[in-house]
């Protein structure tokens, strides 16, 4: 089945630094990827939808200058958390849309646990 | 009103029990519906897509009611391994494609 590889699995960084998270679709082309954030005991909150070759669409309340999304190829989307602060500590998960025999589905990366100290 | 809402949990049921989860969505133009399960500190895994006619996969049955804008998930003969958080997801066709998740319902199956 479809596989989305997400790296790194976890990262600890100092406040004020930037962190880049990568998501790759390994055996299919993902024209659309989604980025979610999940705080403890809460659900996944959609941050943005990225389409290959165009600007991402951010959800209300998500700062596009802080969470930079690049989807330059059909198999790679990146999320960069710029000038990270402790409140950015969260579980970040990407998801790629792929077409199957019964229509489209969504495959998730394994997530990145970000801790900002 | 939230875009996707679910039964508040947690659900604690004995092994072998039947348990049902409900999920409602606000956007009547929504086109695709899914149930995911998420284990603690892991990514969500697709459990089932939900089709208009309803669908069954072993002990799991999903139903869609477009008129009332809700989907349901029924788990029969609960196993200990079914303990997880169950998330419903709705693909909302707005000006762009986006998938919104409900808050999740926690299930604990106890011996």
């Amino acid at each position: 089945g479809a596989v989305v590889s997400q790296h790194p699995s976890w990262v600890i960084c100092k406040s004020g630094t930037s962190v880049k998270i990568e998501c790759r679709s390994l055996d299919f082309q993902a024209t659309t990827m989604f980025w979610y954030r999940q705080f403890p005991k809460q659900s996944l909150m959609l941050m943005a939808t990225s389409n290959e070759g165009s600007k991402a669409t951010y959800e209300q309340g998500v700062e596009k200058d802080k969470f930079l999304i690049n989807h330059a190829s059909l198999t790679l989307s990146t999320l960069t958390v710029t000038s990270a602060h402790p409140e950015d500590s969260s579980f970040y998960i990407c998801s790629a849309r792929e077409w199957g025999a019964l229509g489209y589905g969504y495959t998730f990366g394994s997530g990145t646990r970000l801790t900002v100290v | 009103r939230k875009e996707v809402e679910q039964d508040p949990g947690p659900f604690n049921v004995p092994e072998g029990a039947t348990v049902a989860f409900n999920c409602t969505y606000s956007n009547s133009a929504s086109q695709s519906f899914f149930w995911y399960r998420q284990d603690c500190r892991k990514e969500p895994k697709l459990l089932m897509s939900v089709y208009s006619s309803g669908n069954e996969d072993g002990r799991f049955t999903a139903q869609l009611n477009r008129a009332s804008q809700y989907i349901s998930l029924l788990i029969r003969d609960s196993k200990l391994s079914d303990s997880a958080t169950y998330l419903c997801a709705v693909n909302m066709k707005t000006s762009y494609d986006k998938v919104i998740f409900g808050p999740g319902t926690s299930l604990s199956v106890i011996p």
Side-chain angles (χ1 to χ4, degrees), chain A residues 46-50 55-70 78-80, chain B residues 96 98:
Chain A
L46 180 65
M47 299 175 69
T49 301
S50 78
K55 290 182 179 180
T57 302
Y58 289 82
E59 294 300 297
Q60 192 172 9
V62 179
E63 300 173 58
K64 61 181 181 181
D65 294 329
K66 180 171 181 62
F67 299 99
L68 302 179
I69 291 173
N70 185 287
T78 62
L79 167 67
T80 301
Chain B
Y96 59 98
K98 66 177 185 178

Side-chain angles (χ1 to χ4, degrees), chain A residues 34 36 38 43-44 46 49 57 59 91 93 97 102 104 106 108-110 113, chain B residues 32 34 36 38 41-44 51 87 91 93 96-99 101-103:
Chain A
F34 304 90
Y36 294 86
Q38 186 176 36
S43 189
L44 290 84
L46 180 65
T49 301
T57 302
E59 294 300 297
F91 191 45
I93 310 177
R97 188 179 70 181
L102 298 176
Y104 54 84
Y106 302 89
F108 284 83
S110 55
R113 193 162 300 282
Chain B
S32 305
F34 310 88
Y36 285 82
Q38 185 176 28
R41 301 173 74 86
K42 296 285 183 65
E43 77 278 17
Y51 303 113
L87 304 163
N91 175 254
K93 286 294 185 183
Y96 59 98
D97 186 18
K98 66 177 185 178
V99 178
F101 283 80

Side-chain angles (χ1 to χ4, degrees), chain B residues 50-56 61-64:
Chain B
V50 187
Y51 303 113
S52 296
S53 56
N55 45 304
E56 185 175 310
T61 301
Q63 295 279 350
L64 166 63

Side-chain angles (χ1 to χ4, degrees), chain B residues 8-54:
Chain B
F11 282 50
N12 300 309
V13 302
E15 269 187 290
T18 296
V19 61
F21 303 132
N22 290 315
C23 171
T24 58
Y25 58 95
S26 61
N27 187 335
S28 59
S30 299
Q31 297 187 356
S32 305
F33 310 89
F34 310 88
W35 281 103
Y36 285 82
R37 71 169 276 167
Q38 185 176 28
D39 294 290
C40 189
R41 301 173 74 86
K42 296 285 183 65
E43 77 278 17
K45 300 277 192 187
L46 179 66
L47 186 62
M48 301 176 76
S49 298
V50 187
Y51 303 113
S52 296
S53 56

